[in-house]
Amino acid sequence: MTRILLLLVLTAAALSACSAPPPKPTATTPSFYLPMARADATVDAAMARDMITGYRQNKGLGPLAVDADLQAIAQAEARAMAAADKPSSAEAVKARLASAGFRNPAANLSAGYYTLAEAFSGWRESPQHNRVLLDSQATRIGIATAYTPNSKYKVYWVMVVASDRR
């Protein structure tokens, strides 16, 4: 009887552990794993640059530098997509970047990824998005997210790259 009682207690403890909420991020959680599905979330642009630059360098390409103007453009575009609750046209974003003087602009626009790690992985697996990550002419990057709680996507992502300005 004692064995059965012990087995029931252990089973109950194991099951209660399964229903516990996921642990909250801590100060030691790498920023590429932090959830962007929060109103106060901000993507770590330096971490994104380092992650993407490492990927590019493994393919023989040069590094990227975070560009303050591209950051501002990416953030504005992410907010616009969240407000519209749909991704924008990459071609329209590229045209706006070109008209702002950026040479060889490219853009990855997406929605539904909750972390930088998820977005980066998804972009690498998509031939169209991977071409932007591996754009040999790119030297600058801007990346941003916007959260909209009532959307099926929740998080909108914008990554823009370009060469130097004219």
Side-chain angles (χ1 to χ4, degrees), residues 110-127:
S110 57
Y113 298 120
Y114 280 39
T115 67
L116 174 57
E118 289 176 2
F120 177 64
S121 180
W123 292 337
R124 278 189 332 221
E125 298 303 316
S126 161

Side-chain angles (χ1 to χ4, degrees), residues 30-37 43 51 110-126 129 133 143 145 153-155 157:
S31 64
F32 50 83
Y33 288 132
L34 294 176
M36 296 292 107
V43 67
M51 185 182 268
S110 57
Y113 298 120
Y114 280 39
T115 67
L116 174 57
E118 289 176 2
F120 177 64
S121 180
W123 292 337
R124 278 189 332 221
E125 298 303 316
S126 161
H129 291 102
L133 292 172
I143 186 168
T145 61
Y153 300 113
K154 305 289 186 220
V155 182
W157 289 83

Side-chain angles (χ1 to χ4, degrees), residues 72-82 87-89 93 96 109 146 156 158:
I73 291 167
Q75 189 62 66
E77 193 62 40
R79 286 184 183 130
M81 291 190 326
S88 298
S89 156
V93 172
R96 284 196 295 279
L109 310 176
Y156 285 88
V158 175

Side-chain angles (χ1 to χ4, degrees), residues 5-94:
L5 184 57
L6 180 60
L7 183 60
L8 288 174
V9 168
L10 290 174
T11 303
L15 290 174
S16 70
C18 292
S19 65
K24 293 189 182 210
T26 66
T28 59
T29 302
S31 64
F32 50 83
Y33 288 132
L34 294 176
M36 296 292 107
R38 297 184 343 253
D40 63 342
T42 303
V43 67
D44 183 342
M47 174 60 75
R49 175 208 56 217
D50 293 348
M51 185 182 268
I52 295 165
T53 289
Y55 178 61
R56 291 169 54 83
Q57 288 177 331
N58 285 338
K59 306 287 186 181
L61 299 171
L64 299 174
V66 175
D67 182 285
D69 291 336
L70 287 177
Q71 277 295 113
I73 291 167
Q75 189 62 66
E77 193 62 40
R79 286 184 183 130
M81 291 190 326
D85 198 16
K86 68 178 186 173
S88 298
S89 156
E91 292 305 315
V93 172
K94 287 168 36 179

